[in-house]
Amino acid sequence: MNESLAYDNELVEELRKRHEDFTSVIEDYYKKSIFEKYQFITRGKYFLTNGINTIFINGCGGTGGWFIPKLAKVLNDAALKGKIKNKITLVLCDGGIVEQKNLIRQNFIQKDIGHNKAKVLAARYAILFPDIVDIVYVDKYLANNAIIQTYPEILRSKFIDIKDINRDCYNSLVFNFVDNAISRRVIHSYFSQINSLVVDVGNNLYNGQLNTSFYTGNITLPNYGNYYNRNSDEVADNEFIKFDNCADMDMAINNPEQMFSINDFAATVASNFANTLFAEEKVYYSLVKFKVGPT
């Protein structure tokens, strides 16, 4: 065998070995990474922020309360850099009233007790948002008329039909921080009919996840999926809207203290998502899992 051929064989073998090593590294990376099979990590999925006319936040308690001031920073930066040019309506929606128990881990203080959560946060943080953003609040729980009618008449005033909130939200960015099946289904059913990006963020004591869903008109974009593609078992989930929440568990003497760390971290994950979206007008992942504790 001449030296040239021997050299070529050695080079081929070296390249083959490198390829195997590289493939192994990539496979290991995907197994350990936060990205799962529905992902946009390589090139990203475009979502033009200049077209957004409504940002909708459902849930202003545990995570939503910490997220709103972070979003103000994101939108100020975006406005200064010309990433948003059209007027945006920021809608805060929550039917909850601030109670003593909420002070443990939600972004409220003593003087907020007795007032609606969405109203408190709208009043507190309106001044932080750029002039291009109008902040409004809805002091009711989100549902649709069919669901509202299932409640006793005395409770119906606590709800609002999603269709009555904003009929002009044709290009929307939605953050859903309410982690129950009925509320989520109402949101996805409504916003799937228009051009929108829906971000669901949920958590338990120490860990949580962020899901993204793309919609355009009546058709879900086929290549990118949505929350229910990744959580098909929840399609039939009928967990109803609860007036009590995680704060009740915080008050139980034997329950481990959640404090605010997981909610603030979930809000940080959501704000990092928003920052990337407005900076690059792209989404690079559809599912992020995170944790701040041992489980």
Side-chain angles (χ1 to χ4, degrees):
M1 182 182 295
N2 62 46
E3 291 185 7
S4 177
L5 184 58
Y7 176 78
D8 288 344
N9 288 338
E10 290 176 4
L11 180 59
V12 169
E13 180 61 24
E14 176 64 22
L15 291 174
R16 185 190 64 77
K17 180 66 167 58
R18 289 184 183 183
H19 175 73
E20 289 179 352
D21 291 344
F22 177 76
T23 301
S24 176
V25 168
I26 291 299
E27 289 178 352
D28 188 56
Y29 169 76
Y30 280 118
K31 287 177 182 176
K32 295 179 179 179
S33 78
I34 60 176
F35 302 104
E36 294 206 347
K37 62 180 180 179
Y38 295 97
Q39 61 186 299
F40 324 123
I41 182 173
T42 53
R43 290 178 298 175
K45 168 74 180 77
Y46 280 107
F47 189 84
L48 302 180
T49 55
N50 264 328
I52 293 173
N53 73 329
T54 303
I55 299 177
F56 186 84
I57 296 177
N58 185 40
C60 300
T63 299
W66 298 108
F67 173 73
I68 290 164
K70 299 177 194 294
L71 180 64
K73 293 288 188 180
V74 171
L75 295 183
N76 271 294
D77 180 65
L80 286 171
K81 295 176 179 176
K83 297 292 184 178
I84 50 175
K85 297 177 182 178
N86 299 326
K87 199 77 173 177
I88 292 177
T89 300
L90 174 62
V91 182
L92 310 184
C93 183
D94 198 310
I97 301 299
V98 181
E99 301 178 59
Q100 184 73 37
K101 63 189 178 184
N102 299 132
L103 305 187
I104 298 174
R105 65 182 185 87
Q106 298 185 17
N107 189 15
F108 298 108
I109 57 178
Q110 196 74 30
K111 71 175 185 178
D112 298 331
I113 293 175
H115 300 283
N116 174 263
K117 294 179 182 181
K119 182 179 181 180
V120 167
L121 296 174
R124 181 187 301 169
Y125 293 117
I127 194 171
L128 298 184
F129 284 88
D131 293 339
I132 203 169
V133 177
D134 289 330
I135 183 169
V136 299
Y137 72 91
V138 178
D139 58 354
K140 298 182 184 300
Y141 295 104
L142 189 66
N144 59 35
N145 189 58
I147 292 171
I148 294 171
Q149 294 306 312
T150 65
Y151 280 91
E153 188 171 353
I154 194 172
L155 294 178
R156 292 175 191 169
S157 62
K158 294 179 177 290
F159 295 91
I160 186 170
D161 190 323
I162 190 170
K163 294 179 181 178
D164 295 332
I165 290 180
N166 185 350
R167 297 181 182 276
D168 298 319
C169 53
Y170 53 85
N171 200 20
S172 299
L173 172 59
V174 183
F175 289 92
N176 179 39
F177 298 115
V178 176
D179 194 19
N180 75 66
I182 296 296
S183 292
R184 181 175 295 110
R185 194 173 304 148
V186 166
I187 284 176
H188 283 268
S189 176
Y190 179 76
F191 284 101
S192 65
Q193 301 175 53
I194 57 180
N195 187 55
S196 63
L197 173 59
V198 179
V199 184
D200 288 281
V201 184
N203 60 268
N204 53 30
L205 276 176
Y206 298 113
N207 48 50
Q209 63 285 320
L210 177 150
N211 281 270
T212 60
S213 303
F214 285 92
Y215 295 109
T216 174
N218 293 316
I219 302 173
T220 304
L221 288 176
N223 295 327
Y224 301 101
N226 60 39
Y227 181 91
Y228 292 103
N229 291 145
R230 296 184 289 277
N231 301 278
S232 58
D233 58 314
E234 294 189 28
V235 172
D237 189 347
N238 289 312
E239 179 192 10
F240 234 64
I241 298 165
K242 296 174 290 188
F243 296 115
D244 295 323
N245 52 43
C246 297
D248 294 304
M249 292 192 299
D250 289 333
M251 299 298 288
I253 191 169
N254 294 322
N255 195 61
E257 291 289 355
Q258 186 185 45
M259 299 303 287
F260 62 86
S261 57
I262 183 61
N263 292 108
D264 191 33
F265 192 80
T268 298
V269 171
S271 63
N272 182 65
F273 172 89
N275 187 56
T276 301
L277 178 66
F278 281 97
E280 301 187 29
E281 296 189 305
K282 282 186 175 183
V283 177
Y284 288 95
Y285 45 83
S286 59
L287 174 62
V288 173
K289 294 183 178 181
F290 53 87
K291 64 179 180 178
V292 298
T295 59

